[in-house]
Amino acid sequence: MNLSIKRRDFLKLAGATGLSLSFARLAQGAGSSPRRVIFVYTPDGAIPAQWHAQGTGTDFTLPAMTQPLERVRQHCIFLSGLNMVGPGGTHEGGVIKLLTGTGGQNSTLGVSLDYYLGQVFKTQTIRPHLNLNIVPIYIDKHITYDNNGVPVVPEMNPLAAFDSLFGASAGDSARAQRRISALDHSLSELNALRARLGTTEKVKLDTHLDALRELEQKLQSAAAGSCPAWNFNPTGFRVTRTALWQNPEFMDAGRMGTIADLHTDVAIHALACDLTRVVTLKWNNSVHDNVIKEAGSPMTCHGASHEAGQDFVTIKAWYMERFARLIERLQATPDGGGTLLDNTLVFHGSCLANGSWHNHDDMPFILAGGAAGGMATGRSLKFGGVPHNKLLVSIARFMGVNINSFGDQDSSPGPLSGLSG
């Protein structure tokens, strides 16, 4: 057998098992903690002067909207001067641009980064992408798009999200057992092929075999229900109406804090149990016209954004209080030799920059966590109108995906400078 045939056989078997060169690169070594990412969206932009950190480097102060993040500032990177470019404007263009990096028009739709990364990791986890929507009003204006640019509708019911991952009707055990059977067959074939390879090819194949065995162990653990239990839904939240026309309980803005806690709980445990590597937590919709009683304002977020006064500051600060809690929860969750926050990069974004102006310049972007991937947190970084595509590239690279561009709106592709230290 000549070397070219050996390579062809190897690639055929690797493809049959769902392994690619990116899989081997992304496996990150047996026993190491995997990288994760959470995309957090809050609606209606901000007031830049009340949002962006004042100062650069480690010497900065936080204004009123982001003040709740003061207690977790050491885990954050506050970004200013990043623009979402392209012709698509206002809320509708903003939700399209945010994670796709495209021009923000329905005619130029592309895949979003959350969906894209989920597909990269789909052979390594039970759920490629956990896509959650916290108390929406309606079900359009999505931020997640599949490979064909088709909107991906998120799960709005936190109890259904829990059940799909951890509940009796999840079906994960049977699905995992089927995958294990397929892996057993592939491992047998790959081991047979190994005996016919030269030294160099054996080294390459061993890398794939190690990744396959790690995946097999992970699926066996998931099938056996080895993920630790926890006190989910301590308040006893119930959903008795599931159809949207019935005004279901999970769309009750009066209970937004409780519903958000449930969604966040599912997300954190899905990551900690390595059932997924990619989570999207979308708060509400891009035009949020419900009053959030817990925020302490009588106005809706959308209405307050147009007035750009104290009510908008109060509402956005409430969202950032919830963002701070997410960071603290991740920091309090052990993961490998560190914490879940160390191995997770959290991205915050919105559909607008200035909520009153409806523009996309100087977006309210924040990163948190990611220390294990070299993110140097506790800083304020300012850029001069750089396309946010570079930030999307940097997030992908944190996850181990070595791309140089994402979307189509950056004329000089590459990652965003200055994030690692």
Side-chain angles (χ1 to χ4, degrees):
M1 178 180 286
N2 61 43
L3 184 60
S4 64
I5 296 176
K6 292 175 187 175
R7 283 185 176 138
R8 184 169 64 247
D9 287 347
F10 168 76
L11 292 173
K12 178 182 177 182
L13 285 168
T17 60
L19 284 176
S20 62
L21 183 59
S22 64
F23 185 109
R25 182 174 67 247
L26 292 168
Q28 300 173 352
S32 63
S33 295
R35 303 277 175 81
R36 291 92 158 188
V37 63
I38 304 176
F39 297 92
V40 178
Y41 168 90
T42 63
D44 300 314
I47 302 172
Q50 296 294 326
W51 175 278
H52 289 301
Q54 298 166 0
T56 58
T58 59
D59 184 15
F60 64 90
T61 59
L62 295 176
M65 281 186 167
T66 48
Q67 183 60 38
L69 298 177
E70 179 63 35
R71 68 179 190 267
V72 293
R73 63 181 277 156
Q74 71 273 22
H75 301 303
C76 298
I77 305 175
F78 298 92
L79 306 170
S80 60
L82 295 180
N83 297 348
M84 297 199 306
V85 296
T90 191
H91 297 273
E92 289 73 17
V95 290
I96 294 173
K97 292 177 182 179
L98 182 62
L99 297 183
T100 67
T102 62
Q105 296 176 308
N106 289 325
S107 60
T108 59
L109 287 172
V111 64
S112 58
L113 185 59
D114 53 351
Y115 187 90
Y116 171 82
L117 291 175
Q119 292 302 295
V120 170
F121 290 97
K122 68 180 180 181
T123 60
Q124 301 178 58
T125 58
I126 297 297
R127 179 72 63 84
H129 173 216
L130 182 59
N131 189 14
L132 305 174
N133 196 172
I134 302 170
V135 191
I137 302 173
Y138 36 74
I139 57 171
D140 63 352
K141 297 182 174 64
H142 301 294
I143 62 173
T144 300
Y145 299 85
D146 69 12
N147 291 327
N148 296 313
V150 177
V152 179
V153 179
E155 177 58 68
M156 297 172 278
N157 182 352
L159 302 189
F162 171 86
D163 196 51
S164 71
L165 288 164
F166 304 100
S169 64
D172 286 340
S173 178
R175 184 160 54 252
Q177 292 291 0
R178 289 196 298 271
R179 290 185 182 182
I180 291 168
S181 297
L183 288 172
D184 284 341
H185 179 71
S186 299
L187 282 167
S188 176
E189 290 191 74
L190 287 168
N191 279 318
L193 175 63
R194 188 180 187 280
R196 293 147 45 200
L197 297 178
T199 301
T200 301
E201 300 300 316
K202 281 182 179 178
V203 171
K204 295 178 181 178
L205 181 57
D206 284 344
T207 300
H208 288 273
L209 285 170
D210 288 342
L212 262 177
R213 292 188 183 101
E214 185 177 357
L215 175 59
E216 183 182 39
Q217 293 170 358
K218 189 172 297 177
L219 290 173
Q220 285 172 336
S221 295
S226 64
C227 189
W230 82 100
N231 184 26
F232 178 70
N233 194 13
T235 66
F237 177 78
R238 295 181 61 207
V239 173
T240 63
R241 305 178 300 275
T242 57
L244 297 183
W245 60 267
Q246 294 176 313
N247 190 27
E249 291 87 347
F250 55 78
M251 296 178 73
D252 181 3
R255 305 178 68 182
M256 192 176 296
T258 296
I259 297 166
D261 285 342
L262 293 172
H263 276 296
T264 302
D265 217 14
V266 171
I268 289 174
H269 281 83
L271 292 173
C273 298
D274 203 25
L275 300 181
T276 191
R277 304 277 172 82
V278 184
V279 171
T280 300
L281 279 174
K282 182 173 182 276
W283 282 86
N284 321 130
N285 299 98
S286 63
V287 180
H288 192 247
D289 281 324
N290 273 342
V291 173
I292 309 171
K293 295 179 181 178
E294 296 158 287
S297 168
M299 297 190 69
T300 69
C301 185
H302 181 223
S305 72
H306 283 269
E307 291 195 1
Q310 183 57 47
D311 283 293
F312 194 34
V313 171
T314 298
I315 294 168
K316 296 303 288 193
W318 182 83
Y319 281 120
M320 288 304 98
E321 168 62 30
R322 308 300 303 202
F323 190 62
R325 293 187 196 181
L326 171 63
I327 294 169
E328 290 170 333
R329 286 284 310 279
L330 293 167
Q331 177 64 16
T333 304
D335 187 55
T339 72
L340 192 54
L341 184 63
D342 294 332
N343 299 305
T344 303
L345 186 62
V346 188
F347 165 76
H348 172 273
S350 189
C351 54
L352 302 174
N354 189 312
S356 179
W357 296 358
H358 288 63
N359 67 340
H360 298 154
D361 295 338
D362 200 10
M363 293 295 297
F365 293 153
I366 299 172
L367 294 177
M375 292 291 166
T377 56
R379 298 180 301 147
S380 166
L381 301 180
K382 296 188 181 297
F383 300 89
V386 172
H388 90 293
N389 302 69
K390 295 183 183 300
L391 178 57
L392 301 181
V393 169
S394 296
I395 294 171
R397 289 196 178 187
F398 169 85
M399 294 294 288
V401 184
N402 191 26
I403 59 175
N404 200 49
S405 64
F406 196 85
D408 55 14
Q409 298 298 305
D410 188 359
S411 59
S412 58
L416 189 64
S417 62
L419 295 181
S420 60

